[in-house]
Amino acid sequence: MAGIELLSDQGYRLDGRKATELRKVQAQMGVFGQADGSAYLEQGNTKVLAVVYGPHEVRGARSKIQHDRAVINCQYSMATFSTAERKRRPHGDRKSSEMSLHLKQTFEAAVLTQLYPRSQIDIYVKILQSDGGNYSACVNAATLAVIDAGIPMRDYVCACTAGFVDDTPLADLCHAEESGGGTSLAVALLPRGGQIALLQMDARLHQDHLDTLMEAAMTACKGVSKVLDEVVRQHLQETSVLTGE
Amino acid sequence: MLKSKTFVKKTRSGGILKVVREHYLRDDIWCGSEVCEDCKDESPVLEKNPCLESSLCTYPHYLIPDTNVVLHQIDVLEDPLIRNVIILQTVLQEVRHRSGPAYKRIKDAIHNKEKHFYTFTNEHHRETFIEREPGESANDRNDRAIRVAAQWYSKHIPNSAEIKVVMLTNDRLNKEKAEQAGLVVYKCEEYIKSLIANPELVDRLAATADDQNEMTSSKIIFPEHLPLSQIQTGIKSGKYIQGTFRANRDNYLEGTVFVHGEGDESTEILLQGLQKLNRAVHQDLVAVELLPRDDWVAPSAVVLQDDGGKGEDDEEEEDEEKKLQTKKVHRDAMKPTGRVVGIIKRNWRPYCGMLNVSQIKESTRHLFTPADRRIPRIRIETRQAATLAGQRIMVAIDGWPKNSRYPKGHFMKSLGNAGDKETETEVLLLEHDVPHLPFSQKVLSFLPKMPWAITEDDMKNRVDLRHLCVCSVDPPGCTDIDDALHCRDLENGNLEVGVHIADVSNFIRPGNALDEEAASRGTTVYLCGKRIDMVPELLSSNLCSLRSNVERLAFSCIWEMNHNAEILNTRFTKSVINSKASLTYAEAQMKIDDANMNDDITQSLRGLNKLAKILKAKRIEKGALTLSSPEVRFHIDSETHDPIDLQTKELKETNSMVEEFMLLANISVAQKIYDEFSECALLRKHPCPPPSNYDILHKATKTKNLVIHTDSAKELADSLNEAEIDGFPYFNTLLRILATRCMMQAVYFCSGLDSDFRHYGLATPIYTHFTSPIRRYSDIIVHRLLAVAIGADSTYPALMDKHKQAALCNNLNYRHKMAQYAQRASVAFHTQLFFKNRGILNEEGFILFVRKNAIIILIPKFGLEGTVFFENRDKPSPKMLFNEEGPTLTVEGHTFNMFDRVRVTISLDASNIQNQKIRMALLDPVIPGVSVPLPEPEPEAKKAKLDR
């Protein structure tokens, strides 16, 4: 029969959420000892590991050096076991390169890079399990990792996707919803100031609907920021207890 | 709020994939009952005191049907009597998966507020969600989910309310388990039968598989159908052929399977005999196997009707009939013959028809004869046979077991007494597939709220034209006025002419239920004394109708013209107008003719009329055809709504005035949208007919020593104008009627998928429909396109998708064709009513066609066409000689030519109540043994002779 019904008449989505509800977000900071900062984040079934090194001296080509600020280097990859069908190339394909670039742009906007001239910050993210909203999960995990590394940022960068079905904006799409056709808009937001670090949309959407969709995505981002804030405070409390302060 | 519980589902798609999905369980899903105080539902759906008297459940109760009950007994559930039903999400999902139509119907029922159907999202409820256990099949799990939900309900609803939930299932195992769990559970039949005071619902029950097993008639009549998997492999290997089954209208033992080939390679396979047809019903998608060449047969020319009343014992007779057929096979006339091996997809719909009451008085099994002769008779069970006899009823087929001569079905509803005006109208609407049900709540919810007024927002992209002296001219009694006109002098000496069309697209927004309904209806259908609206009445007769002295939104097409009707400048804009007068054609004509009147409206009309005449002359110069078809209008009695008189439509100057400007607007708009959207403009074309179509016209005129040139529309128009015979004023009209029959159908199409845009009849290179958005959906699309083109509205994806446009065009063309047929059928029925009260008439007519064994006669007075047969079943046929060249027919020495004047008697033959017909019999010329004597005042004696 017809394709799947993304939003039922009663207002429930495939997985039982309502249109504005996010998936369950769980996160943990400081999961690795060797890295300068690290975080593990689950957004529903999307699971991401983010690791930050730096700031440190610029490695490799010296031409990359920026004299007034730090260079941010991002690398995005997906585990071979992260999708339903085993992935052949975990990184380096077009999609991954694009995603790396997007992450780089996002964090260049958020990290106070001018504090570290002539240095480099490496952000590595790996998708362990993919279930839609990969970009936003990566951004959220990377934010936590950067905070864990103690690198100053203007604000949390929170990202979330939003889709548009039956004239209703849906927050935080899962894989089934993303692949069910229709538009998906990803927003990375600095929630306190309401500035948008990155906005991305692949499919077509009528201009009239853009505002409502953006509104929904931004509300969702603010929801994410609350969760992240909670995680950071929790982590801080735990570490301060450990260090006996 | 979020009780998150993730779980794992496995599905297969192509290879084996493990799909992991989250499944959130919630505790904020309410039970939807008015009595419950725990749930914080704002507007509970289920009533506080659901009263439905049943002898099984004497207490108030809510119903929970399982999937199969919803799927098979949707007719019962749709009944207004059945209310307060809980439809579980599990059930809804399963129905959606298994049957699209049933899903749509149950959704409509849920949306209907009167019905109090509540959808309980049990799969996401914390307490009613269950996981599939190892070894449990998906169906069993769903059944269990239904039971768990029912149990939850019976615990959840407070005891004080004394409301119980009653589960309905036809599955024996499910029922047993539910009883063990302490639920009140009944079989659907049991429950429906127990309903006090509503015994007629029982007949609506569909026959289920259980009932069929009880049937003891052991004789297997039909070969088994192959399973779908076997058919599929068979089709792949070329052993079987897939095609659409089309039953023969005249011979119930014969049918063809139409095989869609690539391009023009469509072929037909002949099927003959009940065994070979193997339970295929008209329009089914079937798989056939070709028979070896030796067994091929020729289609028989015999008319065989499955006459009722013989029951199941008439098989011997059929065998005889079959032999009779096979005798006269010619070698060269043989066609590929096959047999049906399986049904790929049934295409059953509800059928209209009448009941043949069984001879046995107490019998509950009866045969039903559909109005469409291509559909076999259907066996139904009913206790109301006595009341249903003589009524038109609707029946749905449930199945066709291999041991049954006829398909089994169930009674759906009665349409009323046969012969009643309402009933017959309903029948012809149903048989022509005209959607005519009242608009659903969902559709109505998209209507603007009353009182409605023009707001600031509306004015944003509009021009205020309220000051203009606009008026509308329509037929008398018209309430859906979609066009209005104005004409005024400009300062530079030119004229400004405006055509203002109701802005329906402002109210019908793309994609909503209202839009979808209108798109599916396609057109408003006008029957005699009845109108089936495409859009709800609030729009068609009020908000969109450009009535006088109210402010209305319009889409205007404004030209600047000089006095020679040459267009200097064209402008399209959305506007607001205030029509100054709604006139009828006659009123407008009077204003124009009355030299004493000199008000603004009259001035405007005169200007329009003058321009229209020039435009028309120009159009005819270019080769537009003036065709003719005998159209009649009934004078309908205002009290009884019976036709009291017939009148052929009269055309006034003002008719053509309005028409001219509509054509002009359509052409201007067509050009504009094509220029703007060359790929997805919705246009209308009228293909040039192939030369062979004109053969009959050539032959006919040859006998009158006239020549008609048909090489181009222009030549045809000219020679039609010149074709006159002295002393035979009606000849020209006859010729035009004949020419009309040679034409092709005009169709909508999408400009991106076609290259030939010409409109042959109107002699214009491009054409579309813009001027009647209230009654045609094509015009709404054209409005949207034009609105986007001038930047007054936004676009949406489907509008720019040429394939979607093409699919829409197909539906519109189909609906238009069906609407035309329905209109004709309605006229035919009213003609019958008219003649029913008249007895036998004798009238003058003209021969329109000559056939091998009959002549077709047109009676100009009634615009009625009828056939006089010269062959008779009972009598030996007279000596007949048919000459192909003339064409002429010589009967007993008298030669009939086309256009001959004859006199005939007209009467109504009511011998077959299902298929009443107008009978014509020849009076003059007198041919012994063929013509009938002049009717005497006493009609009784005549009837016998008039039989055929």
Short mmCIF file of all heavy atoms in Angstrom, two decimals, chain A residues 98-137:
data_model
loop_
_atom_site.label_atom_id
_atom_site.label_comp_id
_atom_site.label_asym_id
_atom_site.label_seq_id
_atom_site.Cartn_x
_atom_site.Cartn_y
_atom_site.Cartn_z
N GLU A 98 31.88 16.78 3.03
CA GLU A 98 30.97 17.91 3.14
C GLU A 98 30.60 18.14 4.59
O GLU A 98 30.57 19.27 5.07
CB GLU A 98 29.72 17.61 2.30
CG GLU A 98 28.81 18.81 2.16
CD GLU A 98 27.47 18.44 1.55
OE1 GLU A 98 27.38 17.39 0.89
OE2 GLU A 98 26.52 19.21 1.75
N MET A 99 30.33 17.02 5.25
CA MET A 99 29.95 17.12 6.65
C MET A 99 31.09 17.72 7.47
O MET A 99 30.87 18.57 8.33
CB MET A 99 29.60 15.72 7.16
CG MET A 99 28.87 15.71 8.47
SD MET A 99 27.20 16.30 8.33
CE MET A 99 26.32 14.76 8.18
N SER A 100 32.34 17.29 7.19
CA SER A 100 33.50 17.84 7.90
C SER A 100 33.56 19.35 7.72
O SER A 100 33.80 20.10 8.67
CB SER A 100 34.79 17.23 7.36
OG SER A 100 34.74 15.83 7.43
N LEU A 101 33.33 19.76 6.50
CA LEU A 101 33.39 21.19 6.20
C LEU A 101 32.33 21.97 6.98
O LEU A 101 32.58 23.03 7.54
CB LEU A 101 33.19 21.37 4.70
CG LEU A 101 33.62 22.72 4.15
CD1 LEU A 101 35.13 22.86 4.23
CD2 LEU A 101 33.15 22.89 2.73
N HIS A 102 31.12 21.39 7.00
CA HIS A 102 30.03 22.04 7.73
C HIS A 102 30.36 22.17 9.21
O HIS A 102 30.11 23.21 9.82
CB HIS A 102 28.73 21.25 7.56
CG HIS A 102 28.11 21.45 6.22
ND1 HIS A 102 27.24 20.55 5.68
CD2 HIS A 102 28.25 22.43 5.32
CE1 HIS A 102 26.86 20.97 4.49
NE2 HIS A 102 27.46 22.11 4.24
N LEU A 103 30.93 21.10 9.75
CA LEU A 103 31.28 21.14 11.18
C LEU A 103 32.33 22.22 11.43
O LEU A 103 32.25 22.98 12.38
CB LEU A 103 31.81 19.77 11.62
CG LEU A 103 30.75 18.68 11.74
CD1 LEU A 103 31.41 17.33 11.99
CD2 LEU A 103 29.78 18.99 12.88
N LYS A 104 33.29 22.29 10.52
CA LYS A 104 34.35 23.28 10.65
C LYS A 104 33.76 24.68 10.67
O LYS A 104 34.07 25.50 11.52
CB LYS A 104 35.30 23.11 9.46
CG LYS A 104 36.51 24.01 9.48
CD LYS A 104 37.41 23.65 8.30
CE LYS A 104 38.05 24.92 7.80
NZ LYS A 104 39.46 24.97 7.84
N GLN A 105 32.87 24.93 9.72
CA GLN A 105 32.24 26.26 9.65
C GLN A 105 31.47 26.57 10.93
O GLN A 105 31.53 27.67 11.47
CB GLN A 105 31.29 26.33 8.45
CG GLN A 105 32.02 26.47 7.14
CD GLN A 105 31.11 26.23 5.96
OE1 GLN A 105 29.94 25.86 6.11
NE2 GLN A 105 31.64 26.42 4.77
N THR A 106 30.75 25.56 11.41
CA THR A 106 29.95 25.76 12.61
C THR A 106 30.82 26.17 13.79
O THR A 106 30.53 27.13 14.50
CB THR A 106 29.21 24.46 12.97
OG1 THR A 106 28.58 23.95 11.81
CG2 THR A 106 28.18 24.69 14.05
N PHE A 107 31.94 25.45 13.95
CA PHE A 107 32.74 25.71 15.15
C PHE A 107 33.64 26.93 14.99
O PHE A 107 34.00 27.56 15.97
CB PHE A 107 33.51 24.45 15.56
CG PHE A 107 32.62 23.51 16.28
CD1 PHE A 107 31.95 22.50 15.61
CD2 PHE A 107 32.35 23.69 17.63
CE1 PHE A 107 31.08 21.66 16.26
CE2 PHE A 107 31.49 22.85 18.29
CZ PHE A 107 30.84 21.84 17.61
N GLU A 108 33.98 27.27 13.78
CA GLU A 108 34.70 28.53 13.59
C GLU A 108 33.84 29.70 14.04
O GLU A 108 34.34 30.72 14.50
CB GLU A 108 35.10 28.70 12.13
CG GLU A 108 36.42 28.00 11.82
CD GLU A 108 36.76 27.99 10.35
OE1 GLU A 108 35.93 28.44 9.54
OE2 GLU A 108 37.84 27.49 10.02
N ALA A 109 32.53 29.53 13.90
CA ALA A 109 31.62 30.60 14.32
C ALA A 109 31.45 30.63 15.83
O ALA A 109 31.12 31.67 16.39
CB ALA A 109 30.27 30.42 13.64
N ALA A 110 31.67 29.49 16.48
CA ALA A 110 31.34 29.44 17.91
C ALA A 110 32.57 29.55 18.81
O ALA A 110 32.51 30.21 19.86
CB ALA A 110 30.61 28.13 18.20
N VAL A 111 33.67 28.94 18.41
CA VAL A 111 34.86 28.94 19.28
C VAL A 111 35.55 30.31 19.20
O VAL A 111 35.60 30.93 18.14
CB VAL A 111 35.82 27.82 18.83
CG1 VAL A 111 37.12 27.87 19.61
CG2 VAL A 111 35.15 26.46 18.98
N LEU A 112 36.05 30.75 20.33
CA LEU A 112 36.76 32.04 20.35
C LEU A 112 38.18 31.83 19.82
O LEU A 112 39.15 31.75 20.59
CB LEU A 112 36.79 32.61 21.76
CG LEU A 112 35.41 32.99 22.32
CD1 LEU A 112 35.52 33.37 23.78
CD2 LEU A 112 34.80 34.12 21.52
N THR A 113 38.32 31.69 18.54
CA THR A 113 39.59 31.28 17.94
C THR A 113 40.66 32.34 18.07
O THR A 113 41.86 32.02 18.06
CB THR A 113 39.41 30.94 16.45
OG1 THR A 113 38.63 31.98 15.86
CG2 THR A 113 38.71 29.61 16.26
N GLN A 114 40.26 33.60 18.20
CA GLN A 114 41.27 34.66 18.26
C GLN A 114 42.11 34.59 19.52
O GLN A 114 43.16 35.22 19.62
CB GLN A 114 40.64 36.05 18.10
CG GLN A 114 39.73 36.48 19.21
CD GLN A 114 38.29 35.95 19.01
OE1 GLN A 114 38.09 34.96 18.31
NE2 GLN A 114 37.33 36.60 19.63
N LEU A 115 41.67 33.80 20.51
CA LEU A 115 42.44 33.66 21.73
C LEU A 115 43.69 32.80 21.51
O LEU A 115 44.59 32.78 22.32
CB LEU A 115 41.59 33.03 22.83
CG LEU A 115 40.38 33.86 23.29
CD1 LEU A 115 39.64 33.11 24.38
CD2 LEU A 115 40.82 35.21 23.80
N TYR A 116 43.67 32.01 20.46
CA TYR A 116 44.79 31.08 20.21
C TYR A 116 45.37 31.30 18.83
O TYR A 116 45.19 30.47 17.94
CB TYR A 116 44.30 29.63 20.33
CG TYR A 116 43.61 29.32 21.63
CD1 TYR A 116 42.23 29.21 21.69
CD2 TYR A 116 44.35 29.14 22.80
CE1 TYR A 116 41.59 28.93 22.87
CE2 TYR A 116 43.70 28.88 23.99
CZ TYR A 116 42.34 28.77 24.02
OH TYR A 116 41.70 28.51 25.20
N PRO A 117 46.07 32.42 18.60
CA PRO A 117 46.63 32.62 17.27
C PRO A 117 47.73 31.60 16.99
O PRO A 117 48.35 31.07 17.92
CB PRO A 117 47.19 34.04 17.32
CG PRO A 117 47.32 34.36 18.76
CD PRO A 117 46.35 33.53 19.50
N ARG A 118 47.95 31.32 15.72
CA ARG A 118 49.01 30.43 15.25
C ARG A 118 48.88 29.01 15.82
O ARG A 118 49.86 28.30 15.93
CB ARG A 118 50.38 30.99 15.60
CG ARG A 118 50.56 32.42 15.14
CD ARG A 118 51.85 32.98 15.65
NE ARG A 118 52.98 32.37 14.99
CZ ARG A 118 53.47 32.77 13.83
NH1 ARG A 118 52.92 33.78 13.18
NH2 ARG A 118 54.50 32.18 13.29
N SER A 119 47.67 28.61 16.20
CA SER A 119 47.52 27.24 16.71
C SER A 119 46.36 26.53 16.01
O SER A 119 45.68 27.11 15.17
CB SER A 119 47.32 27.25 18.22
OG SER A 119 46.27 28.10 18.55
N GLN A 120 46.17 25.32 16.40
CA GLN A 120 45.19 24.47 15.70
C GLN A 120 44.36 23.69 16.72
O GLN A 120 44.85 23.26 17.76
CB GLN A 120 45.94 23.49 14.79
CG GLN A 120 45.06 22.47 14.12
CD GLN A 120 45.86 21.56 13.20
OE1 GLN A 120 47.06 21.77 12.97
NE2 GLN A 120 45.22 20.53 12.69
N ILE A 121 43.07 23.55 16.42
CA ILE A 121 42.19 22.73 17.26
C ILE A 121 41.63 21.61 16.39
O ILE A 121 41.07 21.89 15.32
CB ILE A 121 41.04 23.56 17.86
CG1 ILE A 121 41.60 24.71 18.72
CG2 ILE A 121 40.09 22.69 18.68
CD1 ILE A 121 40.58 25.75 19.09
N ASP A 122 41.80 20.38 16.81
CA ASP A 122 41.28 19.25 16.04
C ASP A 122 40.00 18.73 16.68
O ASP A 122 39.97 18.48 17.89
CB ASP A 122 42.29 18.09 16.02
CG ASP A 122 43.52 18.46 15.22
OD1 ASP A 122 43.36 19.11 14.17
OD2 ASP A 122 44.63 18.10 15.67
N ILE A 123 38.96 18.57 15.86
CA ILE A 123 37.72 17.97 16.35
C ILE A 123 37.45 16.73 15.50
O ILE A 123 37.31 16.83 14.28
CB ILE A 123 36.52 18.94 16.23
CG1 ILE A 123 36.82 20.24 16.99
CG2 ILE A 123 35.25 18.31 16.74
CD1 ILE A 123 35.77 21.31 16.81
N TYR A 124 37.44 15.58 16.14
CA TYR A 124 37.12 14.35 15.42
C TYR A 124 35.79 13.82 15.91
O TYR A 124 35.58 13.67 17.10
CB TYR A 124 38.20 13.29 15.67
CG TYR A 124 39.58 13.72 15.22
CD1 TYR A 124 40.56 14.07 16.13
CD2 TYR A 124 39.87 13.76 13.85
CE1 TYR A 124 41.80 14.46 15.72
CE2 TYR A 124 41.13 14.16 13.43
CZ TYR A 124 42.10 14.51 14.36
OH TYR A 124 43.32 14.91 13.94
N VAL A 125 34.88 13.58 14.96
CA VAL A 125 33.60 12.97 15.37
C VAL A 125 33.40 11.67 14.62
O VAL A 125 33.73 11.57 13.44
CB VAL A 125 32.39 13.89 15.13
CG1 VAL A 125 32.32 14.98 16.16
CG2 VAL A 125 32.41 14.47 13.75
N LYS A 126 32.83 10.71 15.31
CA LYS A 126 32.56 9.44 14.66
C LYS A 126 31.13 9.01 15.00
O LYS A 126 30.75 8.99 16.17
CB LYS A 126 33.54 8.39 15.15
CG LYS A 126 33.53 7.15 14.28
CD LYS A 126 34.67 6.22 14.65
CE LYS A 126 34.78 5.06 13.69
NZ LYS A 126 35.58 5.33 12.50
N ILE A 127 30.40 8.70 13.95
CA ILE A 127 29.04 8.20 14.15
C ILE A 127 29.15 6.70 14.43
O ILE A 127 29.68 5.95 13.61
CB ILE A 127 28.19 8.40 12.89
CG1 ILE A 127 28.06 9.88 12.54
CG2 ILE A 127 26.83 7.74 13.05
CD1 ILE A 127 26.98 10.62 13.26
N LEU A 128 28.68 6.28 15.59
CA LEU A 128 28.72 4.85 15.91
C LEU A 128 27.45 4.17 15.43
O LEU A 128 27.46 3.01 15.03
CB LEU A 128 28.88 4.67 17.41
CG LEU A 128 30.14 5.28 18.01
CD1 LEU A 128 30.16 5.06 19.50
CD2 LEU A 128 31.38 4.67 17.36
N GLN A 129 26.39 4.89 15.51
CA GLN A 129 25.12 4.34 15.02
C GLN A 129 24.33 5.50 14.45
O GLN A 129 24.26 6.58 15.04
CB GLN A 129 24.35 3.69 16.17
CG GLN A 129 23.09 3.00 15.70
CD GLN A 129 22.46 2.20 16.82
OE1 GLN A 129 23.09 1.35 17.44
NE2 GLN A 129 21.23 2.49 17.12
N SER A 130 23.77 5.26 13.28
CA SER A 130 23.13 6.38 12.59
C SER A 130 21.63 6.14 12.52
O SER A 130 21.17 5.10 12.06
CB SER A 130 23.72 6.48 11.19
OG SER A 130 22.84 7.19 10.36
N ASP A 131 20.86 7.11 12.98
CA ASP A 131 19.40 7.00 12.85
C ASP A 131 18.81 8.38 12.62
O ASP A 131 17.92 8.84 13.31
CB ASP A 131 18.80 6.36 14.11
CG ASP A 131 17.32 6.10 13.95
OD1 ASP A 131 16.88 5.85 12.82
OD2 ASP A 131 16.60 6.16 14.96
N GLY A 132 19.37 9.07 11.66
CA GLY A 132 18.83 10.39 11.33
C GLY A 132 19.42 11.48 12.18
O GLY A 132 19.78 11.26 13.33
N GLY A 133 19.53 12.67 11.62
CA GLY A 133 20.05 13.82 12.34
C GLY A 133 21.52 13.67 12.69
O GLY A 133 21.95 14.09 13.77
N ASN A 134 22.32 13.09 11.77
CA ASN A 134 23.74 12.90 12.04
C ASN A 134 24.46 14.21 12.31
O ASN A 134 25.23 14.32 13.25
CB ASN A 134 24.42 12.20 10.85
CG ASN A 134 23.99 10.77 10.73
OD1 ASN A 134 23.27 10.28 11.61
ND2 ASN A 134 24.40 10.11 9.69
N TYR A 135 24.18 15.20 11.46
CA TYR A 135 24.88 16.47 11.61
C TYR A 135 24.61 17.05 12.99
O TYR A 135 25.54 17.45 13.70
CB TYR A 135 24.45 17.44 10.52
CG TYR A 135 24.91 18.85 10.78
CD1 TYR A 135 26.24 19.20 10.57
CD2 TYR A 135 24.04 19.80 11.28
CE1 TYR A 135 26.68 20.48 10.84
CE2 TYR A 135 24.46 21.08 11.56
CZ TYR A 135 25.79 21.42 11.34
OH TYR A 135 26.23 22.68 11.63
N SER A 136 23.35 17.11 13.37
CA SER A 136 23.03 17.77 14.64
C SER A 136 23.62 17.01 15.81
O SER A 136 24.13 17.62 16.76
CB SER A 136 21.52 17.96 14.79
OG SER A 136 20.82 16.90 14.24
N ALA A 137 23.59 15.68 15.76
CA ALA A 137 24.17 14.91 16.86
C ALA A 137 25.66 15.18 16.96
O ALA A 137 26.20 15.32 18.06
CB ALA A 137 23.91 13.42 16.64
#
